[in-house]
Amino acid sequence: MLNTLEMSQEQAARVSAYATALRLAIPGVHLPGRLPAHFTFDFLADAVRHVLDELGHQRVSIHGISYGGNIAYHFAARYPDAVERLLLTGTAGPGGLALYDPALWESLALRWRTSPREEFAEEMTALLTGTDWGLAAEALQPMRRMVQIWARRLTEDSMQLGIDCGLRMESLTTATVPVPALAVTGEHDAWTPPEACRQLVSAWPDARFTTIRQSDHFVPMTRPAEHADLARRFFLGKLDDMDEQEETVGDFSYCTAWERFQHSTSWQSRSPV
């Protein structure tokens, strides 16, 4: 699993019920530390491969969340023989990530330097979490608390990290990824809009796409049980015949309509009732 340790913690615990879960957070991307933009996605993919080799894992299913998803699918494109299945949550391709526009982070860095910390944290929380879209308060609180804590802890290096991550997007592959893939995000994701996530996988040889209802970019936190259930079914191969047995879509009342992309064709199932 590739993402911040906070966002992946509960998901990893749920995965551990049926598989070995390895969480990987990269300094300068998911953790404090400087990793200049000239360290490209090839470098990040090679770093993931190095860790897997050191641990003796030759073939894995990989789950990337947000920017971690970009690393995950770049890894899968670079080392397809090492990937069994690829799950992307809240991940868009080049041009689909307004969040990582370097100009945005330069503007935020200026606000960080000139605003009181609490005021800046509130502004960042409002910017990144947006409206509640009818979500229950208990679902929103962990997400907003995480963003507020993160915003209060931002440093000059943290702001530069955002700029570097944006500049690094220029090195992200545009190749199709030849492994079974599922792209999912919240239906109200404003960071990586559903259409951008869909567009990323629409030309891949074997990919599915859906969104989870009443959730946004932080779907692993706002709908943790539903997201984990979807991940489990995908990783265990339970979705493989879904296009031939549409009635199984009824089990996914938390999802919107599904799409499958395969050999340059697509299909869309009926929406669950």
Side-chain angles (χ1 to χ4, degrees):
M1 302 183 75
L2 285 161
N3 196 250
T4 59
L5 298 180
E6 293 89 346
M7 190 176 289
S8 62
Q9 181 174 2
E10 181 172 353
Q11 295 299 306
R14 292 174 182 268
V15 168
S16 296
Y18 60 88
T20 299
L22 172 65
R23 290 191 293 159
L24 178 60
I26 299 176
V29 178
H30 301 120
L31 295 173
R34 181 77 195 282
L35 188 68
H38 66 260
F39 289 95
T40 65
F41 276 97
D42 281 351
F43 173 85
L44 296 177
D46 291 347
V48 174
R49 183 60 186 260
H50 174 75
V51 171
L52 295 177
D53 287 346
E54 286 293 305
L55 295 176
H57 297 296
Q58 298 303 311
R59 189 172 174 84
V60 297
S61 290
I62 188 166
H63 179 199
I65 304 173
S66 193
Y67 198 83
N70 297 114
I71 301 172
Y73 84 75
H74 194 98
F75 174 85
R78 191 165 172 83
Y79 300 109
D81 292 341
V83 179
E84 184 74 27
R85 294 174 184 271
L86 173 65
L87 173 59
L88 303 175
T89 300
T91 300
L97 278 172
L99 173 66
Y100 289 103
D101 180 350
L104 169 63
W105 279 90
E106 289 171 357
S107 174
L108 291 174
L110 178 61
R111 291 287 298 145
W112 176 82
R113 296 186 191 101
T114 58
S115 301
R117 290 293 178 266
E118 286 299 319
E119 179 181 323
F120 179 80
E122 290 297 327
E123 289 181 7
M124 286 292 288
T125 302
L127 172 67
L128 300 180
T129 61
T131 182
D132 61 18
W133 303 109
L135 293 174
E138 59 269 22
L140 283 169
Q141 287 174 356
M143 172 184 68
R144 287 178 172 163
R145 183 166 57 250
M146 182 192 74
V147 174
Q148 286 179 336
I149 292 172
W150 167 77
R152 291 190 190 104
R153 293 176 177 174
L154 286 174
T155 64
E156 189 76 35
D157 285 346
S158 301
M159 306 309 294
Q160 185 61 49
L161 183 153
I163 296 171
D164 288 336
C165 284
L167 293 172
R168 188 177 295 113
M169 292 298 292
E170 296 180 359
S171 70
L172 186 59
T173 184
T174 57
T176 59
V177 177
V179 303
L182 170 62
V184 61
T185 194
E187 65 174 334
H188 300 298
D189 187 346
W191 287 23
T192 51
E195 180 54 31
C197 299
R198 175 190 178 278
Q199 186 64 33
L200 171 63
V201 301
S202 62
W204 292 5
D206 185 9
R208 291 172 172 81
F209 169 75
T210 191
T211 62
I212 293 181
R213 300 179 187 277
Q214 289 193 310
S215 58
D216 60 1
H217 188 72
F218 295 90
V219 62
M221 297 186 70
T222 53
R223 301 294 300 272
E226 293 81 0
H227 181 272
D229 178 63
L230 186 60
R232 178 184 61 82
R233 297 189 193 210
F234 173 65
F235 285 136
L236 295 179
K238 303 296 186 181
L239 307 184
D240 289 354
D241 297 324
M242 197 172 68
D243 55 329
E244 299 174 1
Q245 302 176 17
E246 291 188 0
E247 66 273 14
T248 62
V249 178
D251 295 336
F252 298 94
S253 60
Y254 53 82
C255 289
T256 62
W258 286 76
E259 287 185 272
R260 184 175 186 180
F261 308 99
Q262 192 171 37
H263 305 302
S264 300
T265 62
S266 66
W267 64 273
Q268 182 167 324
S269 75
R270 57 183 170 83
S271 299
V273 177

